[in-house]
Amino acid sequence: MRKPFVAGNWKMNLDLAGARSLVAGIVEGLGGSSKIDVAICPPSIYLFPMAKAIVESTVAMGAQNCWSAPSGAFTGEVSAAMVKETGCRYVILGHSERRNTIGPRDSNGNIAGESNDMIAAKVRAVFDNEMIPIVCVGETLAQRDANETESVLTSQLAGSLASVKAEEASKLVVAYEPVWAIGTGRTATSAQAQAAHAHIRGQLVERFGADVANAIRIQYGGSVKPDNARELMSCPDVDGALVGGASLKPADFVGIINETIQAKDL
Ligand code: PGA
C-alpha cells in the first residue's frame, strides 16, 4: 500500500507573517492526523522559520529547488546539504516553471530552462543528502494536442531519473503536472490523470521492476482544489497531490487532504 502524499508548493508567495499564519492554520486543521503524508514547500528563505513552526506537528517540509553541486561559486543558489540543514525531508525538482519558464531566452525567444540532465544531477544531490526528490514531469498543451503526452513523459522520466539507484528508487516521488493545468483552473479529467499516471508507472516498472515501481508515489498536480480532489485522488495510480494555489489557504489545503483521505478510504 502506498501512503498518499499531499504537498503544498507555495511558489514565490506570502510574506513571513502570512507564511506563519498559513502553517498555524494547516497544523490546527490537521489536528495531528497522520493518515497520509503532508508537506509544505515554502520559498527557501522561509525554510528555517517554517521548520520551527512545524515542530511537533505531522507536517513535513520540502524545498522548491536546490543546486546539484555540493558547494562553490554558484551565486544565488543553495545546495542540497544547506536545504537538508533546514530540516527538509523533500525537494521539488524539475517543476515546469523551472523547465519551461525560468532561464535565458535565445534569439528566437525560446527559454533554455532546466534540462533533464540538470534535474538528474539535482536528484543525485538530494538522495546523497538523505532527502527525497519530488520529480515533476508533464506535457504542454501543444504536446498533448500533438499526441505527444506519452513520449514527453517517457523522455522526461528517462532523463530526469537517470541518476537514481535501484536501492533508493522506492522512496522517490514523481509528480505528474500537465503544464496546461497549472494555475489555469483547468484540471485534467480523472481519466486523463489515470492514463498519464499508468503510463508513468509503466515506465517505472521497466526501469526499476514491478515491486519498486508499485511502491513509488505519483502525485497529480494542476489546479487541484477541494471540490475536484476526491475524483482525482480516487484514481488507482494517483497517490496524492502537489498543490499550488490552493495550498496557500489553510481551509483549501486541509480540505484537499481530507478529500484524499476519503478517496483512499483511510
Ligand atoms: P496549481 O499549481 O495547483 O496552482 O495549479 C500546481 C503546481 O504548480 O505545483
Side-chain angles (χ1 to χ4, degrees), residues 211-255:
D211 284 355
V212 169
N214 286 329
I216 295 175
R217 294 178 293 184
I218 309 175
Q219 297 175 318
Y220 170 81
S223 298
V224 178
K225 308 255 164 356
D227 62 7
N228 60 25
R230 177 106 48 129
E231 206 186 327
L232 286 161
M233 298 305 125
S234 298
C235 299
D237 283 296
V238 176
D239 307 313
L242 184 55
V243 185
S247 74
L248 299 172
K249 293 186 194 135
D252 285 357
F253 190 57
V254 173

Side-chain angles (χ1 to χ4, degrees), residues 15-255:
D15 58 16
L16 188 52
R20 286 191 207 282
S21 81
L22 173 55
V23 174
I26 293 167
V27 169
E28 192 193 330
L30 289 180
S33 166
S34 57
K35 286 187 173 165
I36 68 170
D37 286 341
V38 173
I40 54 164
C41 302
S44 60
I45 195 84
Y46 296 157
L47 289 172
F48 270 120
M50 292 307 102
K52 277 195 184 165
I54 57 171
V55 165
E56 286 171 26
S57 81
T58 51
V59 178
M61 193 169 71
Q64 298 174 14
N65 183 36
C66 70
W67 192 244
S68 51
S71 63
F74 302 100
T75 302
E77 297 291 347
V78 293
S79 71
M82 292 169 184
V83 162
K84 169 77 177 177
E85 267 196 304
T86 67
C88 279
R89 186 179 303 167
Y90 304 97
V91 183
I92 299 172
L93 294 174
H95 191 281
S96 61
E97 286 154 18
R98 302 201 61 84
R99 289 178 185 267
N100 303 327
T101 318
I102 296 170
R105 282 169 196 266
D106 65 19
S107 53
N108 297 317
N110 296 319
I111 294 163
E114 289 194 4
S115 65
N116 287 320
D117 287 352
M118 286 171 74
I119 296 160
K122 293 179 177 196
V123 166
R124 189 68 258 132
V126 167
F127 270 129
D128 285 346
N129 283 279
E130 284 157 359
M131 296 180 290
I132 296 172
I134 302 174
V135 178
C136 302
V137 294
E139 80 288 357
T140 63
L141 189 56
Q143 290 165 333
R144 174 163 284 269
D145 288 345
N147 276 323
E148 291 168 2
T149 298
E150 292 196 350
S151 62
V152 167
L153 296 177
T154 299
S155 72
Q156 287 181 340
L157 289 167
S160 310
L161 303 183
S163 61
V164 178
K165 297 176 187 165
E167 64 269 22
E168 66 200 5
S170 63
K171 294 190 212 125
L172 177 73
V173 178
V174 174
Y176 169 60
E177 298 208 311
V179 178
W180 47 272
I182 295 177
T184 58
R186 197 177 149 188
T187 329
T189 64
S190 53
Q192 286 171 323
Q194 171 55 28
H197 282 234
H199 177 75
I200 291 169
R201 191 149 340 258
Q203 294 300 305
L204 297 172
V205 169
E206 280 189 21
R207 173 78 201 281
F208 301 114
D211 284 355
V212 169
N214 286 329
I216 295 175
R217 294 178 293 184
I218 309 175
Q219 297 175 318
Y220 170 81
S223 298
V224 178
K225 308 255 164 356
D227 62 7
N228 60 25
R230 177 106 48 129
E231 206 186 327
L232 286 161
M233 298 305 125
S234 298
C235 299
D237 283 296
V238 176
D239 307 313
L242 184 55
V243 185
S247 74
L248 299 172
K249 293 186 194 135
D252 285 357
F253 190 57
V254 173

Side-chain angles (χ1 to χ4, degrees), residues 1 4 233-236 238-240 259-266:
M1 249 304 265
M233 298 305 125
S234 298
C235 299
V238 176
D239 307 313
E259 293 295 337
T260 302
I261 291 169
Q262 295 289 324
K264 299 297 186 192
D265 212 8
L266 297 170

